[in-house]
Amino acid sequence: MAQYEVNNTSISTLLSWIRSEEIAIPEIQRPFVWDSTKVRDLIDSLYAGFPVGYIIVWKNPDIHLKDGTISSGKKILIDGQQRITALQAAIVGEHIVGSNYRKKRIKIAFNPLKECFEVANPAIENNVAWITDIAPLYQPGFDSFNFVINYCKQNKLEDNKRSDINAVITRLQQIQNNNLGVIELSPQLDIA
């Protein structure tokens, strides 16, 4: 009998697991070591519709977590910490703890005119063609209608470009509907 099951899970569901702390990182996991360009590349791959691998979770009630608590039935992240943490930083907009154990915020910028991503920097933050942080686009209550109108005004785009920009913003927001493969290990497995 299989000791695991494989499911496709939407990124929005994974993000809700993060927000509700249903998914947890065990103390055996290393810190977040990706640099900001890898986070950008992950978001770019999701935007392009490319696969980004599986994550492996294990529902176990008594594993020690990084924050010093016990898992108490949470989904323990066995593989995929870097990707989950990157999503947490770029889309949820949370600060993450880097390899130097300091909190930092990774902002991924997007240019709707060129449909490209970059890590936010001062030059991008001063360029109205760029959305300097994509995280607000995924927050509940985001007003895409007014956002597109304001973006087009700031960039002096013709009114007939609004539908093109709106289509790009909608495509960007659809990242959260992409699926990731999630392998869930049986709770009966022991840590060995």
Side-chain angles (χ1 to χ4, degrees), residues 116-134:
C116 64
F117 295 90
E118 278 301 333
V119 176
N121 61 47
I124 284 173
E125 289 174 357
N126 290 321
N127 185 336
V128 295
W130 287 88
I131 298 167
T132 59
D133 184 2
I134 64 170

Side-chain angles (χ1 to χ4, degrees), residues 1-7 56-63 73-76 78 182-192:
M1 185 165 98
Q3 295 292 315
Y4 65 94
E5 63 180 59
V6 180
N7 298 298
I56 300 174
V57 296
W58 177 38
K59 199 168 191 173
N60 189 292
D62 59 357
I63 297 296
K74 293 180 180 181
K75 295 176 189 306
I76 305 304
I78 302 298
V182 176
I183 299 171
E184 191 162 341
L185 301 178
S186 169
Q188 283 73 40
L189 289 174
D190 63 33
I191 196 157

Side-chain angles (χ1 to χ4, degrees), residues 19-32:
R19 288 181 182 114
S20 69
E21 297 180 356
E22 185 177 338
I23 198 165
I25 299 173
E27 66 182 356
I28 60 169
Q29 286 280 12
R30 64 187 175 153
F32 185 70

Side-chain angles (χ1 to χ4, degrees), residues 79-157:
D79 185 40
Q81 176 194 354
Q82 303 302 308
R83 285 167 286 161
I84 293 294
T85 306
L87 291 171
Q88 189 175 355
I91 294 178
V92 177
E94 292 184 0
H95 285 78
I96 53 101
V97 177
S99 58
N100 61 0
Y101 298 98
R102 291 192 176 145
K103 283 190 171 190
K104 65 179 180 175
R105 177 69 172 64
I106 299 173
K107 293 183 187 176
I108 302 302
F110 179 70
N111 185 321
L113 300 169
K114 296 180 180 177
E115 293 189 61
C116 64
F117 295 90
E118 278 301 333
V119 176
N121 61 47
I124 284 173
E125 289 174 357
N126 290 321
N127 185 336
V128 295
W130 287 88
I131 298 167
T132 59
D133 184 2
I134 64 170
L137 279 70
Y138 299 94
Q139 299 306 313
F142 173 74
D143 182 358
S144 63
F145 180 79
N146 283 321
F147 179 86
V148 169
I149 289 172
N150 290 335
Y151 181 86
C152 289
K153 279 183 188 176
Q154 286 179 338
N155 286 281
K156 298 175 177 49
L157 300 176

Side-chain angles (χ1 to χ4, degrees), residues 9-15 39-50 52 86-87 90-92 108-110 117 134-135 137-138 167-180:
T9 304
S10 71
I11 289 176
S12 63
T13 298
L14 289 170
L15 295 177
V39 177
R40 177 205 60 204
D41 293 347
L42 174 68
I43 300 301
D44 187 46
S45 292
L46 290 168
Y47 184 75
F50 296 145
V52 294
L87 291 171
I91 294 178
V92 177
I108 302 302
F110 179 70
F117 295 90
I134 64 170
L137 279 70
Y138 299 94
V168 170
I169 297 302
T170 299
R171 184 172 171 211
L172 177 60
Q173 291 177 304
Q174 293 302 313
I175 285 174
Q176 63 189 338
N177 297 329
N178 289 12
N179 285 319
L180 269 171

